[in-house]
């Protein structure tokens, strides 16, 4: 097999490929038409962030089996195009985890003890011993924002050094946090208020962009902020002001919204901010690890073996695909609705199959339900890597089947739990492959799983539906469909409103100002969308 490497990677990975009998070529300058010509006969590409793997690349590379990303981020790879062309995309998310964690710890100490500043002064001949009064970390509180792989490794190291740990992560439960010696807190503000040092370990997503702004830095008070995760999560001008003018004592930043960082960046002008040029993964061991991990996945793909860190869903064989395929999307949608209605914190996921679907191989359907549940995590989540994310997050996953299904030919139910709280969403397929959500938290509905939706709970009283329609109409939000259910007369009712447009926050607030409304949750039933909850 022919392997093309278009960005520099460690030789250990290339040697592994050669030892497996494959031909390896390197071309670090190929771009544009030259890149399209270079990929015509290759079976695998290995890239880092410097190569743009576009739809045109997949069209030109008719023999391509896999694109291996020697690192985590795949922003430079059109994963949807890869899937359409039947090409596996795989990354190496674990090879540099330890390196990123160690750099975070190093930056924490550098900021707390002013090590770079004192070093620079001494090199200039200035013995400034009395000007630098450091902060001891033993006994101080570390606020960890995001307890994924890197956050977990940071927690292990700084817990061992005597720090108290608090964590904010909407995708883990208290028991999982406790396994790392940490206390889980419900909101970001509380985490920052309690922290002496806050470290960031979240992905850059629409909901995390600018997540740490002036208000959050004010909550951190006279502490330190360390960001070795992704640029854009922290408002850089706000951070510069917070350190320069107060209240923060200092900060350490390894990642920037725009890289290379501009010379006039406000972060470079504040002496108490330690900066490094995105060095989190820059260790010999990390570079070797990601190269070897990527090469191993290429070899596995060539052997038709499972590709552990594949980022796009596997295909089914032709015989089983027609029976299973519609329920892949139904399970995904049910998972996304359930986790949003449970307010995003889960400790257990159960997927239950009833009727004819129970006779099928449903591994991909269960994985798709998990994809829906974990759709906003640290890197692209799909049916391949979702089960592993559940394992990493300490979320128990169960699957069950019943061949009888009252009222439906087949039924898929996704239940998410957090301790004693649970919420179930059921989906099925009507005639002519028409997918429907038919139950939400025990309420019988008949909702089409597309576009924008508002799920409202209210007291079962006359006039409530008219009130909701009037408020939405006044905001120029059109109702495309409505499905109402109640369990007992005069009790609580649940209504799903399919909408043409999202509901603005002030409109949600207006709805909830009415005492008859119990809850209103905006849900995007398109995979790229987010939520609004009140």
């Amino acid at each position: 097999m022919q392997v093309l490497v278009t960005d520099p990677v460690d030789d250990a990975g290339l040697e592994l490929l050669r030892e497996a009998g494959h031909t390896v070529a390197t071309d670090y300058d190929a771009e544009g038409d030259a890149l399209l010509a270079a990929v015509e006969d290759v079976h695998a590409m290995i890239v880092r962030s410097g190569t743009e793997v576009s739809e045109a690349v997949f069209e030109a590379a008719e023999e391509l089996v896999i694109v291996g990303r020697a690192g985590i981020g795949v922003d430079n790879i059109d994963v949807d195009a890869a899937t359409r062309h039947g090409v596996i995309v795989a990354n190496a998310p674990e090879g540099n985890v330890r390196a990123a964690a160690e750099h975070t710890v190093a930056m924490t100490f550098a900021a707390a003890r002013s090590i770079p500043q004192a070093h620079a002064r001494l090199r200039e001949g200035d013995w400034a011993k009395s000007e630098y009064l450091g902060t001891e970390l033993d006994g101080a509180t570390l606020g960890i924002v995001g307890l994924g792989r890197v956050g977990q490794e940071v927690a292990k190291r700084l817990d061992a050094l005597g720090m108290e740990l608090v964590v904010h992560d909407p995708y883990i439960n208290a028991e999982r946090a406790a396994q790392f010696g940490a206390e889980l807190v419900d909101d970001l503000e509380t985490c920052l208020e309690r922290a002496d040092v806050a470290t960031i370990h979240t992905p850059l997503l629409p909901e995390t962009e600018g997540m740490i702004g002036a208000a959050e830095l004010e909550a951190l008070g006279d502490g330190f902020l360390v960001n070795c995760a992704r640029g854009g999560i922290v408002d850089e001008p706000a951070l510069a002001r917070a350190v320069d003018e107060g209240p923060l004592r200092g900060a350490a930043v390894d990642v920037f919204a725009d890289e290379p960082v501009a010379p006039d960046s406000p972060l470079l002008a504040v002496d108490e901010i330690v900066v490094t040029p995105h060095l989190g993964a820059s260790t010999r061991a990390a570079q070797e690890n990601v190269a070897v991990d990527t090469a191993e996945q290429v070899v596995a793909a060539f052997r038709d073996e499972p590709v552990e860190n594949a980022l796009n869903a596997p295909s089914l064989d032709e015989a089983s695909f027609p029976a299973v395929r519609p329920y892949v999307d139904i399970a995904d949608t049910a998972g996304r609705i359930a986790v949003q209605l449970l307010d995003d914190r889960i400790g257990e996921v159960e997927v239950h199959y009833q009727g004819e679907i129970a006779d099928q191989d449903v591994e991909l359907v269960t994985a798709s339900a998990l994809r829906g549940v974990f759709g906003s995590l640290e890197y692209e989540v799909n049916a391949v890597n979702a089960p592993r994310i559940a394992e990493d997050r300490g979320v128990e996953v169960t699957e069950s089947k019943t061949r009888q299904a009252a009222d439906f030919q087949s039924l898929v139910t996704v239940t998410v739990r957090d301790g004693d709280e649970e919420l179930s969403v059921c989906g099925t397929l009507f005639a002519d492959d028409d997918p429907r959500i038919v139950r939400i938290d025990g309420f019988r509905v008949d909702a089409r799983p597309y576009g924008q939706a508002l799920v409202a709970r209210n007291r079962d009283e006359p006039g409530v539906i008219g009130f909701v329609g009037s408020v939405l109409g006044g905001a120029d939000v059109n109702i495309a469909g409505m499905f109402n259910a109640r369990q007992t007369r005069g009790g609580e009712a649940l209504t799903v409103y399919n909408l043409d447009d999202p509901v603005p926050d002030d409109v949600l607030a207006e709805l909830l100002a009415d005492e008859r409304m119990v809850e209103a949750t905006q849900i995007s039933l398109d995979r790229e969308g987010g939520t609004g909850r009140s």
Side-chain angles (χ1 to χ4, degrees), residues 20 28 43 110 285 381 432 480:
Y28 302 149
H43 304 94
V381 179
D432 299 322

Side-chain angles (χ1 to χ4, degrees), residues 242-329:
V243 176
D244 189 34
E245 303 172 7
L248 264 63
R249 276 184 282 177
V253 178
D254 183 51
V255 290
F256 303 87
D258 296 306
E259 297 182 356
V261 65
D264 61 351
S265 167
L267 297 178
L268 305 184
V270 181
D271 190 53
E272 291 79 13
I273 299 179
V274 178
V275 290
T276 52
H278 206 147
L279 298 180
S282 296
T283 69
R284 290 187 181 90
Q287 295 308 302
E288 180 176 336
N289 289 342
V290 297
V292 170
D293 288 352
T294 304
E296 287 177 342
Q297 294 186 89
V298 170
V299 171
F302 288 163
R303 293 174 177 170
D304 290 326
E305 296 174 353
V307 178
E308 183 176 1
N309 291 312
L311 293 177
N312 47 351
S315 60
L316 293 171
D317 63 82
E318 292 183 4
S320 60
F321 185 81
V324 172
R325 177 64 184 88
Y327 294 96
V328 169
D329 290 338

Side-chain angles (χ1 to χ4, degrees), residues 450-455 471-480 497-508 511 521-526 528-532:
Y450 304 113
Q452 302 293 324
L454 179 71
V455 180
V471 171
L472 293 177
D476 203 27
V477 176
N478 188 53
I479 298 175
Y497 300 89
N498 281 119
L499 307 173
D500 288 340
D501 301 289
V503 181
D505 290 341
D506 60 335
V507 177
L508 282 175
L511 290 172
T521 304
Q522 179 178 223
I523 294 176
S524 173
L525 299 177
D526 296 322
E528 296 81 4
T531 71

Side-chain angles (χ1 to χ4, degrees), residues 21 41 100 116 120-121 125 127 139 159 181 256 266 276 353 364 366 377 386 400 413 418 452 472 490 518:
D41 298 317
R121 292 283 295 276
W127 187 263
D159 178 53
F256 303 87
T276 52
Y353 299 93
L364 177 59
T366 297
L377 289 184
S400 58
T413 302
D418 176 28
Q452 302 293 324
L472 293 177
V518 176

